[in-house]
Amino acid sequence: MNKKKFHLRGFTSFISLWTFLILAFSGIILYFTPRGRTANWSNWSILGLTKEGWDGMHIIISPLFLTSIGVHIYLNWKPLINYFRINAERGVKLKKELAISLAVSLLFLFGSITEMKPFWQLMDWNEDVKNYWENVSAVPPVPHAEDFSVPKIAVLMEMEEDEIYRRLLKHNVVVDDKNASLKEIAVQNDMNPDDIFYIFTGNSKSPGTGMQGSGKMGFGRMTLEQFAKNNRLNIEELIKLLRENGIEAKKSQTLKEIADSKNMRPSEITQ
């Protein structure tokens, strides 16, 4: 009885195909995900996976894809060499097409490196997507607040630790370890970090709250004066703080204008 032979070429071809499709799909999903601070704070998910889950999938599948491509090239080395040789000979007859294709490729490469318009528009759209999520979702008071323990949050919010624990207990939230992060407490109680936070602060969860801005306006389009007003900050102190960090700004300027002047992003300015 003849055993069916295992075809390594076919196997690697299929692996390359499946992993390419997975990477393409997860890449599209990641383009539309919120920023990490927003996703982690509200435990954002799509198709049952959090942003961290999609990140993990994309990263873990990448080496498999690259390995399969490498093995595929190794197994088909001679046919590939012949293919390139034949096309190189044809390329002599297709000088115009060769030159234009090279020029277009270099133009896109240069445009992406220098952030030239309209090539960088894709990244601007991505920034708008991130801003959208922060306008419709609650955001943490500071980046990565979900990793803060109750004692650290108490200092941040100028609250008594005992009062925080009392409010959590009132809502049947179990805290076994005082050094546990809000994220760990949330997981233990089948909740989100923002649920825990808003229980003991006594505030209602509302879109766009936090240090980024509020309402339906993307914080990049918010003026420095509006930003200060929304966050109850002194505008003169903000301008002074920015100046101390080498950033000249006027209260009438938008956060995006200030960020663009230093080749930064609005989120970096707010941080």
Side-chain angles (χ1 to χ4, degrees):
M1 186 175 179
N2 294 328
K3 291 184 178 180
K4 288 186 178 180
K5 193 174 181 180
F6 185 78
H7 295 280
L8 187 57
R9 280 188 176 85
F11 174 74
T12 54
S13 296
F14 282 127
I15 288 290
S16 300
L17 173 62
W18 306 140
T19 52
F20 168 76
L21 292 175
I22 293 171
L23 289 176
F25 183 70
S26 60
I28 292 172
I29 292 292
L30 288 171
Y31 182 86
F32 292 100
T33 59
R35 291 185 179 89
R37 59 173 176 263
T38 305
N40 295 334
W41 189 240
S42 60
N43 201 26
W44 178 94
S45 67
I46 185 170
L47 299 178
L49 282 179
T50 62
K51 176 181 171 63
E52 187 177 37
W54 285 105
D55 280 332
M57 176 197 295
H58 198 78
I59 291 171
I60 292 170
I61 294 295
S62 295
L64 179 59
F65 173 71
L66 294 174
T67 301
S68 67
I69 292 296
V71 174
H72 188 73
I73 291 174
Y74 173 77
L75 294 174
N76 296 279
W77 183 252
K78 289 184 179 180
L80 282 171
I81 293 296
N82 291 332
Y83 173 81
F84 285 121
R85 179 179 58 78
I86 293 171
N87 280 274
E89 293 173 354
R90 288 184 60 196
V92 175
K93 300 177 183 179
L94 301 172
K95 292 181 181 179
K96 183 187 205 177
E97 290 80 0
L98 178 63
I100 293 176
S101 64
L102 179 61
V104 170
S105 299
L106 291 176
L107 179 61
F108 270 75
L109 177 62
F110 179 77
S112 64
I113 292 174
T114 60
E115 301 185 9
M116 181 194 300
K117 301 284 186 181
F119 303 100
W120 199 252
Q121 187 61 50
L122 192 64
M123 298 307 297
D124 288 339
W125 288 336
N126 182 249
E127 185 76 8
D128 289 340
V129 170
K130 307 301 183 189
N131 290 342
Y132 164 78
W133 284 115
E134 294 192 352
N135 289 332
V136 300
S137 305
V139 295
V142 294
H144 305 296
E146 70 277 358
D147 294 325
F148 286 17
S149 63
V150 170
K152 193 170 181 179
I153 282 288
V155 173
L156 175 68
M157 303 303 297
E158 297 182 353
M159 296 179 66
E160 294 293 333
E161 281 186 52
D162 291 341
E163 177 62 16
I164 291 177
Y165 290 125
R166 186 188 68 78
R167 293 185 181 184
L168 291 176
L169 183 61
K170 183 179 178 180
H171 287 81
N172 299 316
V173 176
V174 177
V175 183
D176 292 333
D177 183 2
K178 290 189 175 183
N179 293 318
S181 65
L182 293 189
K183 184 177 181 179
E184 291 170 334
I185 296 172
V187 170
Q188 183 181 2
N189 291 273
D190 194 25
M191 301 171 73
N192 298 330
D194 59 343
D195 294 325
I196 301 295
F197 179 78
Y198 289 106
I199 282 176
F200 63 71
T201 58
N203 296 329
S204 60
K205 294 198 291 182
S206 58
T209 56
M211 293 297 289
Q212 281 71 39
S214 63
K216 295 185 177 181
M217 177 189 296
F219 67 85
R221 294 185 291 275
M222 182 179 292
T223 66
L224 188 63
E225 187 173 29
Q226 289 171 322
F227 175 81
K229 183 178 179 181
N230 285 358
N231 292 285
R232 299 179 182 178
L233 301 172
N234 185 287
I235 182 63
E236 299 303 328
E237 290 182 1
L238 277 185
I239 293 175
K240 180 181 178 182
L241 178 62
L242 289 170
R243 187 178 295 117
E244 290 174 353
N245 284 273
I247 302 172
E248 292 295 330
K250 298 178 180 178
K251 62 182 181 181
S252 60
Q253 284 183 293
T254 65
L255 297 185
K256 190 174 190 312
E257 289 173 340
I258 298 170
D260 287 345
S261 69
K262 302 300 292 185
N263 196 27
M264 299 171 68
R265 297 193 179 282
S267 57
E268 294 176 292
I269 296 294
T270 61
Q271 290 176 24

